[in-house]
Amino acid sequence: NVISSNTFWLQAKHDYTSMTSMKKATVKATILKTERIKSDISYTIQLSNSSDQLAFFINPQITISGEEVMPAFWSHNYITLTKGESIVIMVKCPAVLINGKSPKLSVSGWNVALGEQYVPSK
């Protein structure tokens, strides 16, 4: 069982300017499941890198009116996916923050710009 996974990007002389020219990666986000568990709402999300490019430092967020819902407890964050790789992640947040509103899943990354999509607020 994997307990933890980390990606490090090391560069000689700490010169990371080459990262600014990384090719864009295509990441698809699919909401697999929404459920209410006691006083929380939980989302199960699949992130898939369908490009031939590394998708670096993917940061998913649940937002309402452009503001991040906090607290939100993620199983993973700042994710790196190699070409063709997928990961299933979960997020849980208090239902009181979501009820009656229109939450969105916002996904961004160093070389990823998926944008936002509505999520069910069961």
Side-chain angles (χ1 to χ4, degrees), residues 13 17 19 27 30 41 52 62 67 69 72 79 86 91 111:
K13 299 181 184 178
T17 55
M19 291 177 65
V27 173
T30 306
I41 290 184
D52 288 335
I62 298 295
E67 295 291 323
V69 173
I79 301 150
S86 293
V91 61
N111 62 331

Side-chain angles (χ1 to χ4, degrees), residues 44-59:
T44 303
I45 302 159
Q46 181 175 29
L47 298 174
S48 302
N49 181 1
S50 60
S51 64
D52 288 335
Q53 176 65 34
L54 179 79
F56 184 63
F57 233 45
I58 303 165
N59 181 32

Side-chain angles (χ1 to χ4, degrees), residues 89-101:
I89 62 175
M90 292 180 59
V91 61
K92 181 173 63 169
C93 51
V96 69
L97 300 176
I98 303 292
N99 289 340
K101 300 182 176 97

Side-chain angles (χ1 to χ4, degrees), residues 6-7 12 17 26 30 47-48 67 74 76 82-83 87-88 97 99 106 110 116:
N6 295 289
T7 301
T17 55
T26 305
T30 306
L47 298 174
S48 302
E67 295 291 323
W74 292 87
H76 300 75
T82 59
K83 76 175 196 175
I87 188 170
V88 174
L97 300 176
N99 289 340
S106 175
W110 186 266
E116 295 181 322

Side-chain angles (χ1 to χ4, degrees), residues 99-114:
N99 289 340
K101 300 182 176 97
S102 300
K104 293 181 182 179
L105 170 63
S106 175
V107 178
S108 61
W110 186 266
N111 62 331
V112 176
L114 179 61

